[in-house]
């Protein structure tokens, strides 16, 4: 009966915390972190959650974060993200250094200092890493609960003041383009290049180089799928799919944009989403498969790990890929059978792979590296995060797919996070009042400084050293502070997708870096 009572209280704390987190004051809300405040109050009155239960929540939450960030993490690192990632390193490094210095000056314990560090950065992964590193009964959640509101409100106020300090933000927003990678477009093109007469699509190298696809041709006033024996001829009107910045080169090579506007597109009959499960496709490239000549279908787009893209000819097919195939109904049916189409695969989570990934992450987290008297381990936060990043990046190991559908991943992450927050808050609830009384305004001052340091350090470094434009700076700072409300404040001021792109570039790096920095900070203070 006691176990049932404890379970009911746990879910009551989680539910009340979620309700508190949804309350919005001038666009500011606590989100899932509302659970830690309800748990602090419940812990003050004797409610407790077992540390083992909290650790299960940590592992689930962090692993799912890694799986979600994995597909874009390395891509961002090797593209425009290098500069933005350097901004993140500067901000995080400065904050950790100041946290260490203030802990020395004010004689703060490692648990309070690391909690303030995590709360100022509004980072629940940092709180998870600190909780795992510290002994049971630490005050880390107290520090987090004090600093978190400063972190949320501080970023929003800072972002709202930026346009007043730098009026060019709004001016830049007026001329800024869309996503630097380019949005996926469809363009109708008339072939005028006589040099292309009689050529097959695979012979037009610019299509592969620019990752564009020819999916349909106009016949009898209608857009029809490309036939298996298709050859280019002057006068043809083709539907091209590609990204901004790439599709223009294809149009220039083929001819000119068509003036036709009133066309019938039979979407329902000529397009189908096909989930790949067959070993005949997995591990092979589109070029090797010759799908147009064999089946009369064109793969217009691929969705993998929630990311949709126009595939190149050398794109390798992964298990669980969702292919948008264009063709005649009979051709699509034959291709679906060949691909082993199973719609449920896109929504299923392989529990064997999930369990294996979690076990591997925990083993990695337990490994310790020693440098003289100093030892370091990734812990139960860093280990699952690193394994999740690796599995999320590759997505496929032979016949094994490591992907998780977005809905399942978000549910597991949210469940793990709220269970962990309930445990951390309840554990610190006993000491919350006494710690605040003992330290007075010191904790609030330290929290405020830890919020201001990364904001102004990031602004100065990005503006005068890294030479980023103001829209990138605004999004990058919000990403480094892992502040979604801050990003909302940016997008409400400017009409541009650049801040969101910068945020998405920096956010996974910030998650990884803060998770690794937190145990180092604790060790240095100790």
């Amino acid at each position: 009966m006691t176990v049932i009572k404890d379970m009911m209280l746990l879910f009551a704390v989680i539910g009340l915390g979620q309700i508190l987190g949804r309350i919005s004051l001038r666009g500011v809300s606590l989100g899932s972190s509302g659970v830690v405040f309800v748990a602090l109050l419940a812990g003050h009155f004797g409610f407790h959650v077992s540390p083992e239960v909290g650790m299960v929540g940590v592992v689930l939450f962090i692993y799912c974060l890694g799986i979600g960030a994995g597909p874009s993490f390395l891509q961002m690192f090797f593209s425009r993200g290098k500069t933005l990632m350097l901004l993140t390193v500067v901000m995080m490094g400065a904050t950790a250094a100041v946290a260490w210095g203030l802990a020395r000056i004010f004689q703060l314990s490692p648990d309070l200092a690391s909690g303030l560090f995590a709360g100022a950065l509004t980072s629940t992964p940092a709180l998870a890493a600190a909780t795992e590193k510290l002994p049971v009964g630490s005050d880390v959640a107290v520090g987090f609960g004090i600093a978190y509101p400063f972190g949320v409100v501080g970023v929003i106020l800072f972002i709202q003041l930026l346009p007043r300090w730098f009026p060019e933000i709004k001016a830049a927003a007026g001329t800024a383009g869309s996503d630097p990678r380019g949005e996926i477009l469809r363009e109708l093109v008339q072939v005028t290049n006589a040099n292309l007469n009689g050529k097959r699509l695979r012979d037009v190298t610019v299509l592969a180089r620019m990752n564009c696809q020819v999916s349909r041709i106009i016949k009898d006033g209608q857009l029809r799928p490309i036939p298996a024996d298709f050859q280019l001829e002057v006068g043809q009107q083709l539907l091209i799919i590609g990204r901004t910045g790439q599709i223009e080169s294809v149009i220039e090579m083929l001819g000119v944009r068509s003036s036709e506007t009133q066309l019938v597109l039979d979407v329902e009959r000529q397009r189908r989403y096909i989930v790949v499960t067959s070993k005949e496709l997995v591990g092979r490239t589109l070029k090797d498969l010759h799908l147009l000549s064999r089946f009369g279908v064109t793969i217009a787009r691929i969705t993998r790990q929630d990311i949709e893209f126009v595939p190149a000819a050398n794109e390798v097919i992964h298990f669980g890929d969702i292919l948008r195939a264009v063709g005649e109904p009979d051709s699509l049916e034959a291709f679906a059978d060949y691909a082993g189409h199973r719609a449920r695969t896109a929504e299923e989570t392989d529990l064997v792979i999930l369990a294996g990934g979690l076990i591997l992450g925990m083993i990695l987290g337990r490994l310790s590296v020693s440098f003289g008297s100093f030892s370091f381990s990734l812990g139960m936060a860093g280990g699952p995060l690193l394994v999740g990043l690796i599995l999320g990046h590759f997505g496929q190991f032979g016949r094994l797919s490591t992907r998780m559908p977005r809905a399942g991943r978000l549910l597991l992450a949210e469940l793990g996070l709220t269970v962990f927050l309930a445990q951390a808050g309840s554990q610190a609830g006993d000491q919350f009042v006494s710690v605040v009384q003992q330290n007075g305004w010191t904790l609030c001052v330290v929290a405020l400084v830890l919020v201001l340091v990364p904001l102004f350090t990031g602004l100065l470094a990005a503006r005068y050293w890294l030479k980023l434009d103001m829209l990138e700076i605004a999004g990058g700072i919000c990403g480094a502070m892992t502040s979604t409300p801050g990003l909302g404040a940016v997008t409400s001021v400017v009409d541009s997708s650049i801040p969101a792109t910068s945020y998405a570039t920096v956010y996974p790096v910030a998650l990884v870096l803060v998770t690794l920095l937190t145990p180092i900070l604790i060790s240095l203070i100790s």
Side-chain angles (χ1 to χ4, degrees):
M1 192 66 182
T2 303
V3 175
I4 296 176
K5 178 184 176 182
D6 289 343
M7 289 178 62
M8 291 175 64
L9 287 173
L10 172 62
F11 287 113
V13 167
I14 291 174
L16 290 173
Q18 293 284 13
I19 292 172
L20 176 63
R22 293 177 184 177
I23 297 174
S24 178
L25 297 175
R26 295 183 176 272
V28 180
S29 61
L30 295 174
S32 297
S33 295
V35 174
V36 79
F37 295 99
V38 174
L40 281 168
L41 179 62
H44 179 68
F45 291 103
F47 169 72
H48 292 290
V49 178
S50 169
E52 290 77 14
V53 174
M55 190 55 62
V56 172
V58 169
V59 172
L60 281 175
F61 169 57
I62 293 291
Y63 177 79
C64 290
L65 278 184
I67 287 289
S72 61
F73 184 74
L74 289 181
Q75 294 176 14
M76 296 297 184
F77 182 81
F78 291 112
S79 62
R80 176 66 175 138
K82 290 182 182 178
T83 306
L84 288 168
M85 289 180 190
L86 190 56
L87 170 65
T88 312
V89 172
V90 169
M91 291 174 64
M92 293 289 180
T95 310
V98 171
W100 174 81
L102 292 174
R104 293 291 187 187
I105 293 171
F106 293 105
Q107 298 297 305
L108 296 177
S109 63
D111 44 351
L112 270 180
S114 58
L116 290 167
F117 173 73
L121 295 173
T122 65
S123 175
T124 45
L127 175 61
T131 303
E132 191 272 329
K133 189 75 174 178
L134 293 164
V136 176
S138 68
D139 294 329
V140 62
V142 176
F144 182 85
I146 291 171
Y148 189 88
F150 286 91
V152 173
V153 177
V155 176
I156 292 175
L157 292 177
F158 182 82
I159 291 300
Q160 290 176 340
L161 288 172
L162 270 184
R164 299 184 185 182
W165 298 335
F166 303 97
E168 64 265 33
I169 288 183
K170 289 188 176 181
T175 58
S178 57
D179 188 338
R181 298 175 301 162
E183 61 178 315
I184 297 177
L185 301 176
R186 295 191 303 177
E187 293 280 1
L188 193 59
V189 179
Q190 182 169 350
V191 179
T192 61
N193 186 350
N195 294 325
L196 298 177
N197 275 333
K199 288 192 174 183
R200 307 294 292 267
L201 291 176
R202 62 173 175 264
D203 299 326
V204 185
T205 58
V206 70
L207 286 170
R209 193 169 68 249
M210 293 298 165
N211 280 19
C212 294
Q213 294 286 346
V214 179
S215 65
R216 289 181 171 89
I217 182 174
I218 294 181
K219 282 189 176 181
D220 302 324
Q222 292 187 338
L223 281 165
R224 311 293 298 179
I226 299 295
D229 57 351
F230 176 77
Q231 293 183 347
L232 288 164
E233 293 180 6
V234 171
Q236 291 172 334
Q237 296 185 75
L238 309 175
L239 186 67
I240 314 293
I241 300 175
R243 287 194 182 275
T244 304
Q246 297 175 324
I247 198 171
E248 290 81 3
S249 299
V250 175
I251 295 173
E252 184 178 350
M253 170 62 72
L254 295 178
V256 296
R257 283 183 170 86
S258 175
S259 58
E260 292 282 352
T261 56
Q262 302 298 323
L263 295 168
V264 179
L265 185 62
D266 193 348
V267 173
E268 295 303 322
R269 295 179 63 252
Q270 299 173 358
R271 183 184 73 184
R272 185 169 175 181
Y273 290 95
I274 294 174
V275 182
V276 176
T277 64
S278 171
K279 63 181 180 181
E280 298 294 331
L281 270 73
V282 173
R284 301 179 65 185
T285 66
L286 290 175
K287 183 178 180 180
D288 294 336
L289 292 168
H290 301 294
L291 298 180
L292 183 58
S293 59
R294 294 173 63 191
F295 295 96
V297 300
T298 301
I299 306 304
R301 307 185 194 186
I302 295 178
T303 302
R304 179 182 301 153
Q305 296 282 15
D306 305 322
I307 299 174
E308 185 180 58
F309 58 93
V310 179
N314 60 352
E315 184 65 46
V316 177
I317 302 298
H318 290 193
F319 183 90
D321 278 353
I322 304 174
L323 311 181
R324 184 190 288 191
V326 177
E328 296 295 346
D330 292 342
S331 300
L332 290 174
E333 187 63 36
F335 175 62
D337 291 339
Y338 176 71
H341 172 66
R342 240 177 10 108
R344 286 187 57 190
T345 302
E347 306 300 328
E348 292 176 343
T349 298
D350 190 327
L351 294 180
V352 175
I353 298 297
L354 174 63
L358 292 172
I359 292 171
L360 187 60
M362 289 186 282
I363 292 173
L364 183 62
R366 296 290 295 174
L367 298 179
S368 179
V369 179
S370 298
F371 302 95
S373 60
F374 176 78
S375 63
F376 170 74
S377 65
L378 292 174
M380 290 300 103
L385 177 63
L386 184 57
V387 171
L389 283 171
I390 294 171
L391 296 183
H393 172 71
F394 289 102
Q396 187 82 28
F397 291 92
R399 286 279 296 158
L400 299 177
S401 172
T402 60
R403 72 182 301 277
M404 288 179 67
R406 185 172 184 272
R409 173 167 47 81
L410 292 180
L411 175 61
L412 271 182
E414 187 74 5
L415 177 62
L417 173 62
T418 52
V419 167
F420 158 67
L421 291 177
Q423 185 272 324
S426 67
Q427 200 76 49
D430 287 338
Q431 308 102 307
F432 187 83
V433 174
S434 61
V435 170
V436 173
Q437 289 175 342
Q438 181 181 349
N439 293 274
W441 288 97
T442 300
L443 298 180
C444 294
V445 171
V446 172
L448 180 60
V449 172
L450 291 180
V451 171
L452 294 177
V453 164
L455 291 175
F456 283 98
T457 301
L459 175 62
L460 294 173
R463 177 75 171 174
Y464 300 108
W465 175 40
L466 301 175
K467 306 296 183 182
L468 297 173
D469 67 55
M470 291 307 301
L471 293 178
E472 287 181 313
I473 291 172
I477 286 176
C478 291
M481 299 290 288
T482 62
S483 175
T484 305
L487 179 64
V490 177
T491 55
S492 67
V493 174
V494 298
D495 184 19
S496 171
S497 63
I498 291 178
T501 303
S502 300
Y503 176 91
T505 303
V506 167
Y507 185 80
V509 185
L511 289 179
V512 175
L513 196 57
V514 76
T515 304
L516 299 179
L517 272 177
T518 303
I520 295 175
L521 175 64
I522 293 172
S523 297
L524 290 175
I525 296 174
S526 300

